[in-house]
Amino acid sequence: MSIRPTIDIRHAQPTLEGAGVHLHRAFGFQDPSELDPFLLFDDFRNEIPEHYLRGFPWHPHRGIETITYVLAGEVDHGDSLGNTGTLGAGDVQWMTAGSGILHQEMPRGNQSGQMHGFQLWANLPGALKMTTPRYQDVQSGDIPEVIDDDGTKVRVIVGDFWGKRGPVDGIAADPQYLDISVPPGRRKTFKVDTYRRAFAYVFAGAGVFSDASKPSGILLEKEVMGQEVNIRDMSGDRTLIRFGTGDEVTVQAGEEGIRFLLISGAPLQEPVAWHGPIVMNTQEEIRQAKRDLRNGTFIQPAH
């Protein structure tokens, strides 16, 4: 067994998207090989309705899959195929854009005005970029949750984990998408297949992700719930941790516990041509997508 080293720690950066939605971006529109097959990750969390209500009006996607996970509030969605629906707290939507889709996503806050969710973009391999679009909407109650003896809780959104399988299937990136909560002071190890690229995104509490060369928590400076950790190395709210090669991830929860997403997927290792919400393999394919948008042929007939 080998602990995956922490090779990068960064804070999600504030940005504007859609019609003026205030969100935080952990990665995206930079080096697509960094977390291949994943392209972008946004944390849309806000308590000020005017910062999110204008939402994400009609826009195109081609060549990718988008994964939306809602924690608070709701997201109304519709698309060019005639699909409509609402994602509530705990729900997940996995959209395979494939050959092309036009859709909109309009967030609404809960009774307190809170809106919180995540969107992840996963690349499609060249052979599937022009596949027929599809949706998978998953209700919160259909997502299995496992609670370990020490109180660690894992929602299995995609993939296999601790004897449970997530309800979203048929995803090209063969990902594992877990929502993990570790109680205060607990040290926990999670298996991740060696061949996958992996990252964690902390969105509540704090903790230390052990490095392969410093498995005990680096320089020991502070004791938390009877276990020593270095407070300077703690990863807290809106922090992305990118891992190197190995087959397990170890975290030491801080005094308030820690909640994070642990996401991994098999790299595609293909060329990437990227134009906003359209991701293909070549610039000529990007030019074709632009022509299709201009000509009204972006939405392909089902095949």
Side-chain angles (χ1 to χ4, degrees):
M1 299 298 175
S2 59
I3 298 175
R4 283 178 175 253
T6 298
I7 59 176
D8 187 24
I9 298 176
R10 69 182 74 156
H11 297 291
Q13 297 300 306
T15 190
L16 290 176
E17 273 296 348
V21 177
H22 294 243
L23 51 80
H24 283 73
R25 178 159 294 155
F27 64 89
F29 299 107
Q30 294 169 327
D31 180 0
S33 67
E34 245 187 10
L35 283 163
D36 180 18
F38 305 115
L39 297 163
L40 174 145
F41 183 86
D42 283 343
D43 178 346
F44 49 97
R45 181 190 329 180
N46 216 296
E47 297 180 355
I48 304 173
E50 54 265 35
H51 285 180
Y52 61 75
L53 281 177
R54 281 176 285 185
F56 307 91
W58 293 97
H59 59 280
H61 283 292
R62 176 179 283 181
I64 64 172
E65 301 184 278
T66 67
I67 306 93
T68 306
Y69 179 27
V70 177
L71 293 183
E74 295 180 331
V75 177
D76 295 325
H77 67 86
D79 67 40
S80 51
L81 303 177
N83 297 309
T84 60
T86 298
L87 298 177
D91 295 348
V92 173
Q93 180 192 86
W94 199 294
M95 184 195 76
T96 303
S99 59
I101 201 165
L102 297 172
H103 79 153
Q104 65 172 351
E105 299 155 301
M106 306 303 288
R108 288 185 282 126
N110 60 18
Q111 291 183 339
S112 302
Q114 294 174 319
M115 178 67 223
H116 191 191
F118 307 106
Q119 188 165 93
L120 175 69
W121 290 11
N123 202 4
L124 279 169
L128 293 176
K129 283 191 176 294
M130 296 300 286
T131 193
T132 301
R134 69 167 180 156
Y135 275 93
Q136 294 182 71
D137 280 354
V138 178
Q139 300 298 305
S140 179
D142 295 327
I143 297 174
E145 188 171 273
V146 189
I147 302 178
D148 206 4
D149 293 341
D150 64 1
T152 296
K153 183 190 303 181
V154 180
R155 298 192 84 211
V156 186
I157 296 168
V158 187
D160 294 291
F161 191 77
W162 286 355
K164 299 289 185 179
R165 181 164 183 80
V168 182
D169 61 7
I171 306 305
D174 185 29
Q176 187 180 61
Y177 191 128
L178 308 173
D179 177 355
I180 298 175
S181 299
V182 181
R186 295 292 183 181
R187 184 180 180 86
K188 205 72 179 173
T189 295
F190 304 94
K191 300 292 183 186
V192 180
D193 289 348
T194 306
Y195 73 93
R196 297 170 181 265
R197 296 272 170 80
F199 70 91
Y201 182 76
V202 179
F203 61 96
V208 174
F209 288 85
S210 296
D211 195 299
S213 61
K214 305 161 187 172
S216 62
I218 318 179
L219 300 173
L220 304 177
E221 285 190 342
K222 182 179 179 183
E223 188 169 297
V224 177
M225 299 294 288
Q227 299 193 43
E228 292 179 321
V229 299
N230 178 10
I231 191 64
R232 291 182 307 183
D233 297 308
M234 296 189 81
S235 298
D237 191 19
R238 291 196 179 107
T239 301
L240 175 83
I241 300 95
R242 188 159 60 97
F243 300 108
T245 304
D247 55 16
E248 60 186 31
V249 167
T250 296
V251 63
Q252 168 72 56
E255 56 191 355
E256 297 179 358
I258 186 172
R259 187 175 179 188
F260 61 97
L261 303 178
L262 181 58
I263 298 173
S264 62
L268 300 179
Q269 298 180 315
E270 292 184 355
V272 172
W274 195 338
H275 178 73
I278 299 169
V279 184
M280 306 301 286
N281 293 119
T282 68
Q283 287 300 321
E284 174 52 34
E285 290 170 328
I286 294 291
R287 288 190 287 271
Q288 182 61 54
K290 292 179 180 179
R291 287 193 292 269
D292 290 342
L293 282 167
R294 287 195 302 269
N295 300 336
T297 56
F298 188 78
I299 306 303
Q300 305 286 316
H303 56 274

